[in-house]
Amino acid sequence: MEFLTKNSLNLNSGREIIAKNFANWSSGNKIIDNLIQEKQLKYDKYDVVFEWIPYIKLIDIREIGNNGLATAIWKEGLLHYCRHEWIRIPYEKVALRFLYDSQNISDEFINEVKSYDSLLFEGILDSNYGLSQNPETKDYILIFSQEYFKLCCGKCGKKYENRQNRRNEWCKTCQINHLKNNFTNWTSGNEKIDDFIQKMQLKINKFNDAIFEWIPYNE
């Protein structure tokens, strides 16, 4: 959207031209285009403009484990309105969240993208920059400021579910997966008792919840 930075348009004029510019870019998918346009039309002066970011504009992509997270450099950088002019901050270091198996757009995918709006509103996440797509795998990618890494687990990539868990870097998803993987390592000797204990364990919700266990009599 270089038309904004070159012309130094005011905020209201910028909104109007953003809408007029819809015909000049496309993700290649009508649903994605509509989603981005909807978010752009909600822009206010405290936001970064949510954009379609061509994959070629992302360089030095470095994956973090196998959890769908990565860091990258966005060559053009974020677009926002600052001190009465539209500016970009080039070569911005960003966080990437790869949405695997997202080639076919579903309601779950749309809800995943929109779920971050509430984090922005609450001030938990400072910026959600846009969407991109890996041209080889066709997986879509959400692009954030690096603050995103304070909101998600470094192992599985899932968002922490509440402030306490986030502060203590405790991940409910990882904890439940660990408990499930451990089911085969213990038994009460009674299938119904085992099922009951397993169900109780999977109700864990916070980092300081006690884990219900089978406790051998000699321990």
Side-chain angles (χ1 to χ4, degrees):
M1 295 187 184
E2 297 307 314
F3 57 91
L4 286 175
T5 55
K6 287 180 179 178
N7 295 311
S8 297
L9 299 166
N10 64 43
L11 182 61
N12 291 327
S13 297
R15 284 200 196 102
E16 293 173 5
I17 294 184
I18 283 175
K20 291 179 181 178
N21 191 58
F22 287 165
N24 296 328
W25 64 267
S26 176
S27 67
N29 183 290
K30 186 65 175 176
I31 297 175
I32 295 295
D33 289 353
N34 289 340
L35 177 63
I36 294 173
Q37 291 168 12
E38 177 186 335
K39 291 174 74 67
Q40 287 184 345
L41 292 177
K42 292 179 180 178
Y43 177 83
D44 69 39
K45 63 182 178 180
Y46 300 108
D47 293 337
V48 170
V49 178
F50 191 88
E51 300 182 72
W52 174 253
I53 303 170
Y55 191 76
I56 196 173
K57 303 290 186 181
L58 301 171
I59 60 174
D60 196 24
I61 297 175
R62 301 185 181 187
E63 293 187 17
I64 302 174
N66 298 312
N67 53 26
L69 296 179
T71 61
I73 302 295
W74 180 11
K75 289 192 291 185
E76 287 185 332
L78 62 97
L79 174 67
H80 67 135
Y81 191 72
C82 179
R83 296 180 181 178
H84 308 294
E85 64 177 342
W86 291 87
I87 63 172
R88 281 195 183 275
I89 302 176
Y91 293 92
E92 176 87 357
K93 192 169 185 179
V94 294
L96 309 183
R97 173 141 179 78
F98 288 82
L99 303 175
Y100 294 133
D101 301 319
S102 58
Q103 301 90 339
N104 298 317
I105 306 302
S106 63
D107 289 341
E108 183 180 359
F109 171 86
I110 298 298
N111 291 335
E112 170 79 5
V113 175
K114 289 185 175 182
S115 69
Y116 293 95
D117 292 345
S118 61
L119 299 180
L120 291 167
F121 179 77
E122 294 172 14
I124 298 171
L125 182 66
D126 63 352
S127 292
N128 185 357
Y129 295 158
L131 273 168
S132 187
Q133 186 181 39
N134 185 318
E136 295 182 0
T137 66
K138 304 301 181 183
D139 289 325
Y140 287 98
I141 308 165
L142 275 166
I143 301 172
F144 302 92
S145 72
Q146 288 205 91
E147 286 292 309
Y148 179 79
F149 291 117
K150 296 180 181 179
L151 303 176
C152 63
C153 174
K155 293 181 179 179
C156 71
K158 297 291 186 181
K159 288 180 292 184
Y160 294 125
E161 294 194 6
N162 58 53
R163 293 177 186 272
Q164 280 189 320
N165 292 348
R166 184 168 65 251
R167 185 169 62 247
N168 290 277
E169 297 184 348
W170 181 86
C171 176
K172 179 179 177 180
T173 300
C174 287
Q175 180 68 72
I176 286 177
N177 287 338
H178 172 74
L179 291 170
K180 286 181 177 179
N181 291 334
N182 194 50
F183 284 167
T184 57
N185 295 329
W186 62 267
T187 182
S188 67
N190 182 289
E191 186 175 347
K192 289 185 178 180
I193 295 293
D194 288 354
D195 287 344
F196 172 75
I197 294 174
Q198 290 170 10
K199 288 178 181 178
M200 291 294 293
Q201 288 186 346
L202 297 182
K203 289 182 179 181
I204 191 168
N205 192 52
K206 300 190 296 294
F207 76 97
N208 56 355
D209 283 350
I211 297 175
F212 195 86
E213 298 181 79
W214 171 255
I215 304 173
Y217 187 75
N218 60 0
E219 294 183 7

